[in-house]
């Protein structure tokens, strides 16, 4: 009887435990990764009405045999200039190598070493420049984890936690978590897709993003963002 109870406890723990994904322990299928460029229109939604607030261009490119470039360019209609994020990761496991982010408000550069992250953060309004030198290993860059979701072994009810690094001098600095809350089959304009719902510690789990992913090409066909009741949608620009 004691042995039975022990096995029951162990089985229950395994049933409800959530796997933690890291570069050293991941389920990414690099064979699914293809060079691509996609453009999305970014809308704010209010009472069923959509208002375009910007556009986003996402680029994925294998720059050599081992490294993958993930580049995002955001242009807002009410803001001069653009927001450009460039991240280099190892293609096989998304181990971060380099990340830069430039926009009208601030510049940031991160370099990933064996067990620490170095770089700088420049506030353009105050011209204050912070030197970044923080411990960290076996994590994904916060800018790259939305891309790697597409290459996981998606199935119904799939959930996971991801170890990620994020730097924001006004909020969190260091290793935090992102979460795949749920994965379900869905219908998008007559096409069967995976609906992958996520959140992270960057927003203190107050914001969720749902990615609608083509199960064959693994392209993102739509994104829905809920930020405390405020809804935004990203839809591909029709070519």
């Amino acid at each position: 009887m004691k042995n039975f109870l022990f096995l029951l406890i162990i089985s229950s723990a395994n049933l409800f435990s959530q796997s933690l994904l890291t570069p050293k322990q991941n389920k990414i299928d690099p064979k699914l990764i293809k060079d691509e460029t996609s453009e999305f229109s970014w809308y704010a939604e209010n009472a069923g009405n959509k208002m375009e607030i910007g556009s986003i261009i996402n680029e994925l490119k294998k720059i050599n045999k081992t490294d993958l470039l993930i580049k995002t360019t955001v242009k807002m209609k009410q803001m001069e200039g653009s927001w450009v994020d460039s991240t280099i990761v190892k293609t096989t496991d998304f181990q971060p190598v380099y990340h830069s982010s430039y926009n009208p408000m601030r510049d940031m550069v991160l370099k990933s070493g064996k067990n620490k992250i170095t770089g700088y953060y420049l506030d353009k309004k105050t011209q204050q420049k912070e030197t970044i030198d923080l411990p960290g290993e076996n994590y994904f860059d916060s800018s790259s984890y939305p891309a790697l979701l597409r290459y996981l072994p998606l199935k119904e009810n799939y959930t996971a936690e991801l170890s990620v690094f994020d730097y924001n001098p006004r909020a969190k600095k260091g290793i935090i978590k992102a979460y795949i809350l749920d994965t379900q089959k869905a219908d998008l304009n007559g096409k069967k897709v995976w609906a992958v719902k996520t959140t992270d510690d960057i927003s203190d789990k107050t914001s969720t993003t749902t990615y609608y992913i083509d199960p064959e090409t693994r392209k993102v066909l739509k994104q829905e963002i809920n930020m405390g009741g405020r809804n935004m949608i990203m839809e591909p620009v029709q070519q």
Side-chain angles (χ1 to χ4, degrees):
M1 186 66 179
K2 289 182 179 179
N3 288 339
F4 173 76
L5 291 173
F6 176 75
L7 290 173
L8 182 62
I9 292 170
I10 295 297
S11 299
S12 300
N14 289 335
L15 179 64
F16 292 104
S17 64
Q18 209 168 29
S19 58
L20 178 65
L21 302 183
T22 67
K24 291 181 180 179
Q25 184 175 338
N26 70 83
K27 299 179 181 179
I28 299 165
D29 186 351
K31 296 191 296 294
L32 296 172
I33 302 174
K34 311 290 184 185
D35 287 3
E36 66 173 55
T37 300
S38 55
E39 184 175 0
F40 291 80
S41 294
W42 187 357
Y43 299 96
E45 189 178 43
N46 184 20
N49 297 317
K50 293 194 304 184
M51 179 180 68
E52 187 172 3
I53 58 176
S55 64
I56 300 172
I57 297 175
N58 294 321
E59 300 175 65
L60 269 73
K61 184 178 181 180
K62 295 178 183 178
I63 55 178
N64 53 45
K65 291 183 179 180
T66 61
D67 295 337
L68 177 70
L69 171 66
I70 304 168
K71 184 177 179 180
T72 302
T73 303
V74 180
K75 294 183 179 180
M76 306 297 292
K77 286 186 173 294
Q78 302 299 323
M79 182 185 295
E80 294 184 7
S82 58
W83 184 313
V84 182
D85 274 31
S86 299
T87 306
I88 297 174
V89 300
K90 295 299 179 183
T91 308
T92 55
D93 58 11
F94 273 63
Q95 174 72 39
V97 177
Y98 171 87
H99 172 66
S100 65
S101 181
Y102 301 105
N103 66 54
M105 297 173 289
R106 58 110 179 101
D107 292 345
M108 182 172 66
V109 171
L110 301 172
K111 296 179 181 179
S112 298
K114 185 177 180 180
N115 53 20
K116 69 176 181 176
I117 302 99
T118 59
Y120 70 86
Y121 182 103
L122 173 65
D123 186 318
K124 292 183 176 178
K125 184 176 181 180
T126 63
Q127 288 301 304
Q128 281 192 312
K129 187 175 183 179
E130 297 185 20
T131 299
I132 299 170
D133 190 341
L134 293 172
E137 59 182 325
N138 200 25
Y139 62 88
F140 301 111
D141 189 273
S142 62
S143 66
S144 69
Y145 90 79
L148 76 83
L149 299 174
R150 303 159 54 184
Y151 310 119
L152 295 173
L154 301 176
K155 60 182 180 179
E156 283 193 288
N157 304 313
Y158 178 76
T159 63
E161 296 181 354
L162 297 86
S163 179
V164 301
F165 175 86
D166 191 69
Y167 187 89
N168 185 336
R170 297 180 183 82
K172 293 179 172 61
K173 305 176 186 178
I175 306 296
I176 55 176
K177 285 184 179 180
Y179 308 87
I180 300 175
L181 300 174
D182 191 25
T183 305
Q184 295 295 329
K185 291 180 180 178
D187 185 277
L188 182 66
N189 301 323
K191 184 174 182 61
K192 299 299 181 183
V193 297
W194 288 119
V196 183
K197 186 177 181 180
T198 69
T199 189
D200 52 46
D201 290 335
I202 300 170
S203 68
D204 291 323
K205 302 179 187 177
T206 61
S207 172
T208 62
T209 302
T210 301
Y211 300 85
Y212 294 87
I213 300 172
D214 187 314
E216 297 177 1
T217 66
R218 294 302 174 105
K219 289 186 176 181
V220 176
L221 304 180
K222 183 181 180 181
Q223 291 183 46
E224 293 178 344
I225 303 169
N226 183 291
M227 301 177 65
R230 295 173 53 202
N231 297 317
M232 293 184 287
I233 301 170
M234 297 180 189
E235 297 178 329
V237 175
Q238 299 300 322
Q239 303 296 330

